[in-house]
Amino acid sequence: MPRNKKVLSETRREVLDAIADGPVSGPDLAARLDVSRAAIWKHVEALREAGFAIESDDAGYRLDGVPAYGGEAIAFGLDAPIEVEYHDSLPSTNARARELAAEGATDVAVVADEQTGGRGRLDRGWVSPPGGIWLSVLCCPDLPPAHAPILTLAAAVAATETAREAGVDARIKWPNDLLVPSGNGSDDGDRKLAGILTEMEGEADRLSWVVVGIGINVDTAGLPAGATGLLARTDEVDRRTFVQRLLERFDALRDDPKAVLGAWREHALTIGQRVRVETPTDGIVGEAIDIEFPGSLVVETDDGRVRVHAGDCEHLRPA
Ligand code: BT5
């Protein structure tokens, strides 16, 4: 975040933390946070505008309710060093995160309620109706560009574990899809719950920035064929908590490739399957047997073992 914005939201978070344990009086709060009483009043008004219920009486300010979703709501109670920028509607959270990257920001999650120009890989589109979970995490890890795929895997693991915690049987399809198995052995197949789009810029030996875009369907209305949403498998979704847990998991995994690979294997649907992987130059058919750092799929083919770094993967029925 630009410096002034960061300071502002940090103070606002401190105000929230203090009044959550309230009541606390305006003068006490001003003294504690080393700002003026007018500044405290402005923060309280801005928080009320953002939907926080803040009571004030003789004893002082007290937090009485948190909005269901939004930037301040996600930031409040988020246990990760990531700023949150929220928009009701954006063309694409990845595009906005790239703008922030160009301004020199880092460790920001851009979240939108709706995307009007959501993007998939290879110039494909991503349908993003209001009420979904559409977000992009901008970070500047000290990694060579070739290692960036580990962050896609980290996001896939984080999203899978958060979906599973919410009661949805999400599994990972290499490299970037979350699927929900049909579960009834029928022909209607696995359905796509979420997708990840990682974009980056870097020098030869070091990434300048990475944007990891994660799209998770909540409602099923308006989605393309073959898609599903969290609400098809569970009665209720608290998007605020979902995004918080997702960001916390991503933050814990982003510096821990070993943990990422272990958890990825555990949640993968692709390992052990017969697959066809279309790469820009080739079509590879065989059994997917493992994942290797930084994200290569190991495929046992008739001509031996092949490591695939990028491509579109199709799960084939057993021969
Ligand atoms: C992906 O691409 O799966 C990556 C999707 C990333 C979306 C996030 S949302 C936040 C951030 N901001 C963005 O603009 N993007 C990221 P790919 O593997 O290429 O899959 C795209 C294909 O999935 C499309 O061609 C459709 O067939 C299908 N599709 C489109 N919208 C979908 C949806 N909501 N759910 C499931 N499948 C969808």
Side-chain angles (χ1 to χ4, degrees):
M1 283 260 125
R3 187 76 197 132
N4 55 350
K5 231 171 170 177
K6 181 160 188 172
V7 169
L8 190 72
S9 69
E10 264 170 19
T11 310
R12 202 158 288 173
R13 222 190 265 209
E14 284 168 356
V15 170
L16 271 174
D17 286 340
I19 64 177
D21 298 332
V24 53
S25 74
D28 277 358
L29 206 47
R32 213 191 286 177
L33 305 187
D34 197 20
V35 296
S36 69
R37 285 168 67 176
I40 293 292
W41 186 81
K42 272 190 197 153
H43 284 303
V44 168
E45 281 312 297
L47 287 166
R48 282 182 172 143
E49 244 165 66
F52 287 88
I54 299 172
E55 299 293 323
S56 62
D57 54 26
D58 292 348
Y61 295 113
R62 193 162 35 80
L63 182 63
D64 213 31
V66 180
Y69 206 43
E72 307 282 7
I74 295 167
F76 177 59
L78 171 65
D79 190 12
I82 298 173
E83 297 288 325
V84 181
E85 183 185 290
Y86 177 83
H87 300 260
D88 287 328
S89 181
L90 272 181
S92 155
T93 56
N94 265 43
R96 174 62 191 145
R98 293 178 63 135
E99 277 175 21
L100 290 170
E103 292 168 15
T106 187
D107 292 334
V108 187
V110 178
V111 182
D113 181 52
E114 164 194 57
Q115 295 185 119
T116 52
R119 293 178 9 232
R121 295 180 304 146
L122 306 169
D123 284 331
R124 294 187 284 238
W126 183 259
V127 179
S128 318
I133 295 173
W134 324 123
L135 66 95
S136 302
V137 186
L138 163 64
C139 50
C140 303
D142 190 7
L143 290 177
H147 291 183
I150 194 72
L151 297 173
T152 303
L153 266 53
V157 168
T160 300
E161 292 185 343
T162 308
R164 298 184 74 83
E165 188 177 65
V168 177
D169 178 27
R171 309 284 298 277
I172 308 172
K173 176 179 165 225
W174 186 88
N176 70 327
D177 289 353
L178 263 62
L179 301 183
V180 178
S182 62
N184 55 10
S186 79
D187 274 357
D188 74 352
D190 303 331
R191 290 177 181 267
K192 183 156 168 171
L193 175 71
I196 297 165
L197 172 67
T198 302
E199 300 180 285
M200 71 194 92
E201 197 169 273
E203 310 285 313
D205 57 341
R206 191 175 183 279
L207 282 163
S208 307
W209 53 259
V210 188
V211 169
V212 183
I214 308 171
I216 302 165
N217 301 317
V218 177
D219 207 345
T220 50
L223 298 182
T228 190
L230 294 169
L231 285 175
R233 302 294 168 131
T234 183
D235 291 339
E236 224 180 320
V237 176
D238 175 355
R239 284 189 297 163
R240 172 179 166 251
T241 313
F242 195 105
V243 170
Q244 289 175 334
R245 298 298 90 81
L246 172 62
L247 291 175
E248 287 161 5
R249 285 195 166 93
F250 179 76
D251 177 55
L253 287 167
R254 59 179 162 171
D255 297 321
D256 194 350
K258 240 178 114 177
V260 171
L261 292 173
W264 198 96
R265 285 186 190 102
E266 189 187 323
H267 299 305
L269 204 57
T270 305
I271 306 294
Q273 298 246 9
R274 235 181 113 65
V275 297
R276 177 187 293 118
V277 188
E278 298 294 339
T279 74
T281 54
D282 216 355
I284 294 152
V285 176
E287 187 190 342
I289 57 168
D290 199 12
I291 185 93
E292 279 181 1
F293 183 84
S296 316
L297 189 68
V298 186
V299 183
E300 193 75 66
T301 73
D302 289 345
D303 305 322
R305 202 162 278 191
V306 180
R307 283 169 179 77
V308 197
H309 305 297
D312 270 322
C313 173
E314 188 189 346
H315 291 169
L316 304 172
R317 287 169 188 285

